Amino acid sequence: MLLATANLLPPAVARLFGVVLAPPNAGRPGFALVADANRAFTVTLAAALVVDLLIVVAIAYDWRTRGRPHRAYVIGGGCMLLVHLLRKPVAHTDLWRWITDALLALAR
């Protein structure tokens, strides 16, 4: 349950970063707080890594109370971290565009 919830949190945390890091004269916050794509990836990665710290806390708690972390945290947290770190390098490849086009074709 913690991994499923943590998987949904990065967009919300990124919006909080956008509001906190916005310049004072930015006006009302909107959905497009970051116009530059590279900066958006950076903010999103930072938010995802902050959320990944929740999983590290759960691993540390298990390690302290049970003597070892639960496999779900190690495997699931590792997969989530891998996805977060590979998001930027893979996002603009031809293979990824082919996959997204194939998924969009299923929706038609």
Side-chain angles (χ1 to χ4, degrees), residues 12-106:
V13 174
R15 286 187 190 100
L16 289 174
F17 282 174
V19 170
V20 170
L21 299 176
N25 58 356
R28 262 183 4 163
F31 287 109
L33 291 173
V34 181
D36 180 27
N38 285 329
R39 189 161 179 232
F41 269 118
T42 304
V43 169
T44 304
L45 178 62
L49 293 177
V50 166
V51 171
D52 288 343
L53 288 176
L54 292 173
I55 299 166
V56 171
V57 169
I59 289 172
Y61 176 79
D62 266 2
W63 208 325
R64 193 144 168 92
T65 58
R66 296 179 32 192
R68 61 184 172 82
H70 195 278
R71 278 186 299 178
Y73 291 143
V74 175
I75 295 169
C79 289
M80 285 176 55
L81 182 64
L82 187 66
V83 166
H84 295 155
L85 294 176
L86 290 179
R87 185 173 287 149
K88 186 173 182 175
V90 173
H92 298 291
T93 62
D94 291 333
L95 175 63
W96 184 249
R97 289 191 180 153
W98 179 83
I99 291 170
T100 56
D101 288 341
L103 290 173
L104 286 173
L106 292 174

